Every structure is written in structure tokens, then in C-alpha cells.
Amino acid sequence: VKDLDGDRQCKSGGFCISASSIGGPPTSATWQLWCNSTWKATKVSLEVQATTSTPTTGTATTTVGSYSLVLSRSCDPTDNGVYEYGGLTASGAPWFEQVGASRWIYHDPDCNDNGSRPEWTIDRENPPSTTALKDLDGDRQCRAGGFCISASSIGGPPTSATWQLWCNSTWKATKVSLEVQATTSTPTTVTATTTATPTTITTTTPTTVSWAAWLAVAISIVVFCALLGWGCWRLCKWNRKDIAHPQTSDRSLDPAWAAVTLGQLNDLRDLAKAELGLDYATATMNDVNRRILQPICAKHHKSYAQVVNGSEFKRAEIFVSHAWAENFDEFVTAVNTPFATWPVKPTLWICALALVQSTDPELVAIQVGVGDDPSDAPFTKALKKVDRILVVRNRQVDIYGRIWCCWEMFIAYQMGLVQKPGGLMVAGRPADTVMHQVVDISIAQASSLEDKRKILLHIMSQRQSFESFNCIVAEVRQFVADAVA
């Protein structure tokens, strides 16, 4: 079912990322190929050729048919149901129509006819055109009930993927399941030549099952159901107990509970002013970390957030994405700005305050715990539990050129925060050249080259091309620019 070569590695001569397995590989697509000891993005062409066998004599019956899709797990229940195969669009992609309702699933290479991304679409209003090559519903907008970004159109939509669905007046990232079902038409008799080998069919006499055996089976089922019900009751009881009385030790290990209040961030600014004196005006987050945070963490063996909060851990509501080379005072001012009119200030997850800062690189590496999977890093775990992300730009460095910032924006996009109303917040003034620079994760900078290596390897192991990753981060950057404009 998986790891088909049995080597427990993603080791190959080349690959093309696609969730679609029906109909064979794409005939024209960009592959990642291993050439001369490096990966190269290469446009590969696959030509389909028909092969014929030597005719033999005989008569056979074949069935001509297609297939349908069964959609489930949509946040809009009316999306769920059977979608029958309707034919092919002008690009050669199959399209499907929901049985008994006006809904269609199809692939649109450019949904607004203006250079938009390719995607599979759930259209709740219009069927797709079978003659247009893009903007298949003809509205010159990317207006849909749901979409899944995918350049692959051959073979149908991915059977299991995260879609962005429009439900209750908001976009929701939803894991959608599409089950492929074969549908057949009337059998057609085809004359062909064949030589048949006699087949021996063995029949068996039905075995009579005694009433005692049936009784034993029934008793076993009753006992099993009783044990299962008891187990579920105990599990629910334990879960209620944990929710009502959460363990402090669990919170101390959960990165999402290492937040600070806006007032505590302002207190740190006052402390920095007093400690740094004349150096404060030009101090960066790196300077504040070295001269204030590291000594405090070394003294208490805790993060700054745990020191100021004691046993009263605070869950993060806002994830702050920023670069440490920024001016510290400008950073604190920028963070305060969006919440100036909020009567109740939110709690903030700021990595410099949430993690134990140290001069020992091994301690930092163990704490970050990126391993071979950045999804296990505390940045990612905290980001997956917050309500919003605040992107803080600065005049000193391009945050889109920092690999952890790019990773955070990619996860925010996957979690649906970018598409969620109010989920993406922006503060701070960027350098004038930022919007003219190309987003390229492969040349992004990092304080730890090992972190960068592991993030890039993780992207490759997930069959995620750098190009598609860059497109998503660039789209987030555009969201940010539009939000400020």
C-alpha cells in the first residue's frame, strides 16, 4: 500500500508530486530529477502509445464504463454525496456532477483568467465549460464553494487532501475524502480471437451450523459490546477529569502555554531601557536576548515567559512572526499598534520569550527539537493552536528571506489562518525593496544552518517542491501587502 520499494526511504531517481494515481503519471509536468549528485527541476514529457496483441479466435464480452466520486467530510453537508463522471474538459481533465444537485467538481488551470493558481474546484453555481482552457465557469473570478491547489489534472482530484471550503461565511481548511467508485454501462459483446484453457470448478457442500454455535457467537458479541461500552465510558470520564483539572506539568511542556501578555512585553521594554542605557535606541532583539534574556533564563533555568508567569501559564492567542535583526523598540511598538483599541489585550507567543535562551548551542538545539521534522518544533506546535498570526515587518531585514519566518507563514496558510477573516494581522513598516524580491526558500537565511538543512530535507521528503512552497509563501506576502494597502 505504501513504501513500494521497501527501502523505508524516499530514495529515487526522480519524482513528481501528485495525489492523483488514476490514469497514470501526468504527460507533461515538472519533475525533480537526481542528476550529477543534485536535484534538478526538469520539464518531463511522457507520450502515451497504444499497444496491440496478436488476434486470436473467439468471442468475449467486455463492459464499457467510467467512474464516480463519493465526497464526504465537507463542512457544508450539501457538498457531500455522489458525483458522476461527466466527461473531459478542454485541458483533458475529468469533471463530475453531483447526483440530484447543482454542484460540480472540475480542474481549473486559471480560475480568473488572470494568472491565478491551478486548482480543483467545487462549484456550487455553474457547470464547467468543456471548450474553455481556463476560467471554466466564465465569471473571471476565483469564486467557488471550495478549492484544492493542484497542478495535476489528469486522473481526477486527490482522494484525500486538505481543501479550503466556504462554510458559514468563512474559509475553513477541511480534510476532504473522495472515494472512487466504478460505474459500468450495458455489457457490449466484442468479437475477438482467443484460445481458452478448460477450467476446473470445485464446489463444496454447505455446512450446517448448529444452534449452539450460533448461541456462542451471539454471547461473544454481547460480551464484546459490553466491554467496549465500559471502555468508552472510562475514557470519557478520564478526559472530563483532565479537562476540568489540567495538570500543570502538561502545560509546562506544551509550547502553546508559554505566552506573555502585552503588558509583560512592555515591561521587558522598560527593563531593556534601564539595562542597556544609551545602547537601547539601536538595540535589536538579538542584543536584548544576549544581555537580558539569556542571563535571566540561565538564573532560573526557565524561559522568560515561565519566569514572569510562575505557575500561572498563559495559552497563546496570537502567534508573532518576526525577525530578530529588527530594532527592538520598533518591534514592541509595532506589536502594540494593532491592539491599541482592544479593551481586552491578547496573549502573545514570541519565540525569544517562549523558549529558554542560552549561550549553549546544544541546549538550544535540544530545546528547539526540530529533529528531521520541523513539524515537531515548538514554533509549529504553538502556531497550530493559536487564533491569529501577527506578521511584524521591519526596515532592517526582509522577513520573507528568513527560513523560519517562511516556514511559519506556510503553516499558517495550511491551517487556514491566512484565509480566515481576521486570522492574519500585519504590523510594522517594511523596507521599500521587499515586495520586489523573489521568495526562494532554498536561499533563505537561518541562524542555524542545520535548521535550514532539515527544513529543506523535510520539504523534499514530503514530495513538496520548492516551487510550490515558494508560491504559497509569496501568496501570503501578497495577502500581507493587500491587508496594509
Side-chain angles (χ1 to χ4, degrees):
V1 177
K2 53 186 177 180
D3 189 25
L4 301 189
D5 62 356
D7 65 350
R8 302 185 68 83
Q9 305 178 54
C10 292
K11 185 177 181 181
S12 63
F15 64 89
C16 178
I17 301 172
S18 175
S20 174
S21 61
I22 300 173
T27 56
S28 179
T30 299
W31 288 59
Q32 295 291 334
L33 300 179
W34 184 256
C35 303
N36 299 324
S37 301
T38 186
W39 289 105
K40 292 186 178 180
T42 308
K43 191 75 172 181
V44 174
S45 175
L46 290 170
E47 180 181 355
V48 179
Q49 292 184 343
T51 57
T52 58
S53 58
T54 304
T56 52
T57 305
T59 302
T61 301
T62 184
T63 303
V64 180
S66 57
Y67 64 98
S68 60
L69 301 175
V70 180
L71 187 149
S72 59
R73 300 181 182 176
S74 172
C75 53
D76 184 341
T78 58
D79 287 338
N80 298 326
V82 178
Y83 289 72
E84 289 187 341
Y85 172 79
L88 299 177
T89 62
S91 65
W95 63 272
F96 306 85
E97 181 176 4
Q98 188 178 22
V99 176
S102 297
R103 273 173 169 72
W104 297 266
I105 297 177
Y106 57 87
H107 187 270
D108 200 330
D110 181 354
C111 55
N112 63 0
D113 194 13
N114 192 29
S116 181
R117 58 180 178 256
E119 60 187 34
W120 280 97
T121 298
I122 297 176
D123 198 318
R124 298 170 180 167
E125 297 179 354
N126 301 303
S129 168
T130 56
T131 57
L133 290 173
K134 50 188 177 180
D135 188 22
L136 270 58
D137 61 355
D139 64 354
R140 304 187 69 83
Q141 304 178 55
C142 291
R143 181 177 178 180
F147 65 90
C148 177
I149 300 174
S150 174
S152 175
S153 62
I154 299 175
T159 55
S160 179
T162 298
W163 289 60
Q164 296 294 332
L165 300 179
W166 185 256
C167 300
N168 299 323
S169 301
T170 186
W171 287 106
K172 292 186 179 180
T174 308
K175 190 76 170 180
V176 173
S177 174
L178 286 168
E179 179 185 355
V180 179
Q181 289 187 345
T183 58
T184 57
S185 60
T186 306
T188 304
T189 302
V190 179
T191 302
T193 310
T194 183
T195 303
T197 302
T199 304
T200 302
I201 301 176
T202 304
T203 60
T204 58
T205 304
T207 303
T208 303
V209 181
S210 67
W211 66 269
W214 284 113
L215 180 61
V217 171
I219 293 174
S220 299
I221 293 175
V222 171
V223 172
F224 173 77
C225 292
L227 291 174
L228 182 62
W230 179 84
C232 292
W233 174 79
R234 291 295 298 173
L235 181 61
C236 291
K237 182 177 180 181
W238 289 334
N239 285 341
R240 287 195 298 270
K241 179 180 178 181
D242 291 341
I243 293 172
H245 306 286
Q247 299 298 313
T248 301
S249 59
D250 293 338
R251 290 184 175 181
S252 67
L253 299 176
D254 187 347
W257 283 88
V260 295
T261 64
L262 195 60
Q264 289 170 336
L265 176 62
N266 293 330
D267 290 342
L268 176 61
R269 172 163 58 180
D270 294 338
L271 177 61
K273 288 180 179 179
E275 291 289 332
L276 300 182
L278 296 177
D279 295 334
Y280 175 77
T282 58
T284 65
M285 176 64 83
N286 283 314
D287 297 327
V288 173
N289 175 51
R290 184 179 65 258
R291 296 180 59 176
I292 297 178
L293 298 179
Q294 287 181 357
I296 291 177
C297 294
K299 177 180 178 180
H300 297 277
H301 305 288
K302 295 179 180 180
S303 69
Y304 182 82
Q306 292 175 329
V307 171
V308 296
N309 290 321
S311 60
E312 299 296 324
F313 300 105
K314 292 179 172 57
R315 188 187 72 83
E317 297 169 324
I318 307 287
F319 185 99
V320 181
S321 181
H322 66 112
W324 285 31
E326 68 212 344
N327 179 277
F328 179 72
D329 189 72
E330 292 179 1
F331 165 73
V332 177
T333 300
V335 173
N336 273 270
T337 301
F339 312 113
T341 59
W342 288 31
V344 179
K345 310 302 182 185
T347 54
L348 310 168
W349 199 93
I350 304 173
C351 56
L353 312 185
L355 305 180
V356 179
Q357 303 304 322
S358 173
T359 56
D360 183 357
E362 292 187 3
L363 177 60
V364 174
I366 293 173
Q367 181 186 206
V368 171
V370 69
D372 291 325
D373 186 358
S375 299
D376 291 333
F379 307 88
T380 310
K381 292 179 178 178
L383 184 53
K384 289 183 177 181
K385 294 184 178 181
V386 298
D387 305 318
R388 296 178 174 87
I389 180 172
L390 172 63
V391 177
V392 180
R393 305 173 302 178
N394 65 82
R395 296 179 297 167
Q396 289 76 31
V397 63
D398 178 14
I399 59 175
Y400 306 102
R402 304 295 300 179
I403 198 162
W404 273 114
C405 292
C406 289
W407 175 260
E408 291 161 1
M409 294 178 199
F410 177 73
I411 295 298
Y413 186 94
Q414 285 192 324
M415 296 300 296
L417 291 178
V418 175
Q419 302 87 338
K420 171 185 174 182
L424 174 65
M425 306 180 70
V426 187
R429 177 183 173 184
D432 296 334
T433 59
V434 167
M435 286 304 296
H436 303 290
Q437 297 178 1
V438 176
V439 176
D440 188 349
I441 188 71
S442 64
I443 61 174
Q445 298 178 350
S447 301
S448 169
L449 293 179
E450 183 65 10
D451 284 358
K452 176 177 179 178
R453 184 186 72 84
K454 290 175 179 178
I455 289 176
L456 295 181
L457 284 177
H458 178 75
I459 295 172
M460 295 292 292
S461 69
Q462 297 299 308
R463 293 294 197 250
Q464 177 84 42
S465 70
F466 293 160
E467 181 181 5
S468 60
F469 187 99
N470 292 338
C471 287
I472 290 177
V473 176
E475 186 170 346
V476 176
R477 180 175 68 175
Q478 190 60 50
F479 270 112
V480 171
D482 294 342
V484 176

